[in-house]
Amino acid sequence: MASGTASRSEDEESLAGQKRSSSQVSGTIPKRRSSSRFIKRKKFDDELVESSLAKSSSRAKGPSGVEPGRCSGSEPSSSEKKKVSKSVSAPVTPSPVPNPSLPKRMKKSKQPLQVTKDLGRWKPADDLLLINAVLQTNDLTSVHLGVKFSCRFTLREIQERWYALLYDPVISKLACQAMRQLHPEAITAIQSKVLFSKAEEQLLSKVGSTSQPTLDTFQDLLHKHPEAFYPSRTAKALQLHWQLMKQYYLLDDQTVQPLPKGDQVLNFSDAEDMIDDSKLKDVRDEVLEHELTVADRRQKREIRQLEQELHKWQVLVDSITGISSPDFDNQTLAVLRGRMVRYLMRSREITLGRATKDNQIDVDLALEGPAWKISRKQGVIKLKNNGDFFIANEGRRPIYVDGRPVLGASKWKLNNNSVVEIASLRFVFLINQDLIALIKAEAAKIPQQ
């Protein structure tokens, strides 16, 4: 019994030593017993991201000694402790097993990227135009030379695209789906650009070059040969193509004269000797004379316009130099003086506003300052027979006279030294009292007579 108890105590001590060594190797000291059951709970968003990253890293690195389904932060169970103790007692290097599904996934992920890149360069309109052109001409070289795509394609690119549409099921399916989504107007525009086939050009070449065919002639051609012409052809399109063929001498009754051969070929020196110098003198160029006449007329118009604007620029010159004429003379009724310029009122009615090429006014307020808020015809200043001045607002913004607003379609009396404010531009209205007194005296004499 004593020997049995001694051997049992030795076995227990050896097991305890193995447990201590396994806990030291794993780096974690178990504080309490834990169950081997895994409690399922909902994961938060950050845990989902971490678990997905952990799974992807474990797939990329291959199989390891730790279970991929268990998080690294969870405590190891008793069964895992036994596995760790066994692995420590008998270390075995795991051989990396290649994952056969990885290259297949990489190949599948690369294939749609290449297809979408190819579809991005070739638009659905280009595919439809390519198909119609090949069906008409049966020649990819003619398509490359005669069709204008959305971007410049080489002959090799056109051939590769045509073969892909014929033999690649993925590209052809995607191209067909994209072409079905085109707008009917876009399809009509594409069909109008289709090249003419040889059969169509043979029928058009039979129309004589000396005749004057009308749209009815080409309409009859469409009715007589509906199987030869493309369904979207119109009489106007046939007429334009016939005129192009006539220009390049491609009709049946047209012949291109061959170049002279042998001694008939002239060199430059012989052609120069044959030129008569007397015929080259005094040759009137009607086109050049017409252009010179138009330019002369335009310059005279500009000079006349500058002469009309001379008095406006004279105001600016006087304000800069400081040398200005007196405010009133025998013809000036009133003066609208601003900070920079001085406008003279020499008629009974003047218009205020912003001058443009199409709108000429008496007083251009743009010479005083920024006038982009001022209307083209902002207001009118009138002198009545009794000698009173009135300002009428005809613009959008109000005019302030001595601080009082004058709204649109209304008027207000102007006195001497009245302050007129238009869109932050201030002016002082000065009246020529002597001249106005003479006008009042003459107006008083008329009713007495």
Side-chain angles (χ1 to χ4, degrees):
M1 290 293 290
S3 62
T5 56
S7 62
R8 187 179 300 171
S9 61
E10 290 176 358
D11 292 338
E12 290 178 355
E13 288 178 359
S14 62
L15 287 174
Q18 287 182 0
K19 288 182 180 180
R20 290 194 196 97
S21 62
S22 63
S23 63
Q24 290 176 0
V25 171
S26 61
T28 57
I29 300 173
K31 294 181 181 180
R32 67 179 186 276
R33 294 179 61 185
S34 61
S35 174
S36 61
R37 292 183 298 170
F38 182 71
I39 301 174
K40 292 185 179 181
R41 63 179 179 84
K42 292 185 178 180
K43 294 184 178 180
F44 296 99
D45 293 339
D46 53 354
E47 293 178 345
L48 289 173
V49 174
E50 290 177 359
S51 62
S52 63
L53 291 175
K55 288 180 182 179
S56 61
S57 62
S58 63
R59 287 175 184 173
K61 291 179 181 179
S64 58
V66 184
E67 289 185 4
R70 186 178 296 277
C71 298
S72 58
S74 61
E75 294 182 355
S77 62
S78 59
S79 60
E80 289 177 351
K81 291 178 185 177
K82 293 179 181 179
K83 290 180 183 178
V84 170
S85 63
K86 289 180 181 179
S87 63
V88 170
S89 61
V92 178
T93 57
S95 60
V97 180
N99 192 359
S101 63
L102 187 60
K104 290 184 180 179
R105 290 179 180 174
M106 294 296 290
K107 288 181 181 178
K108 288 182 180 179
S109 62
K110 285 183 179 179
Q111 187 174 1
L113 290 175
Q114 186 177 2
V115 171
T116 53
K117 183 180 178 182
D118 194 18
L119 286 177
R121 181 167 168 78
W122 281 88
K123 305 294 188 298
D126 296 333
D127 291 334
L128 184 59
L129 191 57
L130 174 63
I131 293 170
N132 291 331
V134 172
L135 292 177
Q136 283 289 106
T137 59
N138 297 326
D139 186 10
L140 291 176
T141 306
S142 301
V143 173
H144 173 249
L145 296 175
V147 177
K148 186 176 181 181
F149 294 100
S150 61
C151 58
R152 192 182 297 275
F153 295 110
T154 61
L155 179 60
R156 183 177 181 84
E157 289 175 343
I158 292 175
Q159 290 175 350
E160 290 177 354
R161 184 61 178 179
W162 176 249
Y163 295 149
L165 290 174
L166 285 179
Y167 303 115
D168 195 329
V170 178
I171 293 179
S172 61
K173 183 179 179 180
L174 292 175
C176 290
Q177 291 176 356
M179 284 187 288
R180 290 191 192 100
Q181 295 176 359
L182 287 174
H183 196 270
E185 293 181 358
I187 295 174
T188 306
I190 293 168
Q191 290 176 352
S192 63
K193 300 177 183 178
V194 175
L195 296 178
F196 279 77
S197 62
K198 293 182 178 179
E200 291 176 335
E201 290 185 344
Q202 287 177 0
L203 292 173
L204 289 176
S205 63
K206 294 179 181 180
V207 180
S209 61
T210 57
S211 62
Q212 298 295 332
T214 60
L215 292 176
D216 296 335
T217 307
F218 297 104
Q219 192 67 35
D220 294 338
L221 272 179
L222 288 174
H223 289 307
K224 291 180 182 178
H225 307 280
E227 72 284 349
F229 289 102
Y230 191 72
S232 63
R233 299 288 186 213
T234 59
K236 185 65 176 178
L238 296 182
Q239 186 181 21
L240 293 176
H241 194 72
W242 176 84
Q243 292 175 355
L244 193 63
M245 292 176 65
K246 179 182 177 181
Q247 181 181 353
Y248 289 98
Y249 294 92
L250 297 177
L251 301 179
D252 290 343
D253 58 348
Q254 288 180 325
T255 56
V256 181
Q257 296 180 358
L259 292 174
K261 298 180 181 180
D263 298 335
Q264 296 180 359
V265 177
L266 301 176
N267 52 26
F268 288 103
S269 60
D270 295 337
E272 192 175 357
D273 293 338
M274 294 175 63
I275 294 175
D276 190 3
D277 294 337
S278 61
K279 296 181 180 179
L280 298 177
K281 295 179 180 179
D282 298 330
V283 178
R284 296 184 60 185
D285 191 353
E286 296 180 357
V287 177
L288 180 60
E289 289 181 359
H290 177 68
E291 291 180 357
L292 291 174
T293 305
V294 172
D296 184 57
R297 193 183 302 119
R298 188 184 301 113
Q299 290 176 357
K300 288 181 179 178
R301 190 187 305 116
E302 291 177 358
I303 291 172
R304 203 177 301 115
Q305 185 177 359
L306 289 174
E307 288 177 353
Q308 293 176 357
E309 296 177 357
L310 184 60
H311 66 282
K312 298 179 181 179
W313 299 110
Q314 186 66 35
V315 173
L316 289 177
V317 172
D318 293 343
S319 64
I320 292 172
T321 58
I323 303 172
S324 60
S325 59
D327 289 338
F328 303 113
D329 53 12
N330 296 330
Q331 298 178 355
T332 303
L333 299 173
V335 174
L336 193 65
R337 176 180 287 180
R339 185 175 59 88
M340 295 292 295
V341 295
R342 187 170 54 96
Y343 302 101
L344 304 179
M345 182 176 178
R346 293 184 176 179
S347 61
R348 287 181 172 270
E349 181 178 344
I350 60 172
T351 57
L352 312 175
R354 176 168 47 87
T356 58
K357 291 183 178 180
D358 302 331
N359 183 31
Q360 296 297 329
I361 57 176
D362 299 326
V363 177
D364 186 10
L365 299 177
L367 299 176
E368 173 67 18
W372 56 276
K373 292 183 179 180
I374 298 175
S375 302
R376 293 182 180 90
K377 188 177 180 182
Q378 182 66 45
V380 178
I381 298 177
K382 290 183 181 181
L383 172 62
K384 292 191 174 183
N385 294 330
N386 58 359
D388 295 336
F389 289 89
F390 284 88
I391 183 169
N393 189 359
E394 297 184 1
R396 297 180 180 177
R397 296 181 177 273
I399 298 175
Y400 294 90
V401 178
D402 295 330
R404 298 179 180 179
V406 181
L407 303 179
S410 60
K411 60 183 180 179
W412 192 263
K413 183 181 177 181
L414 292 176
N415 300 318
N416 191 24
N417 291 324
S418 293
V419 178
V420 181
E421 184 177 352
I422 305 173
S424 73
L425 298 179
R426 291 186 177 182
F427 304 92
V428 178
F429 187 74
L430 303 175
I431 300 175
N432 190 353
Q433 300 289 351
D434 298 335
L435 189 57
I436 297 302
L438 293 175
I439 293 174
K440 287 181 179 181
E442 291 180 359
K445 291 178 182 179
I446 292 174
Q448 292 178 1
Q449 296 177 355

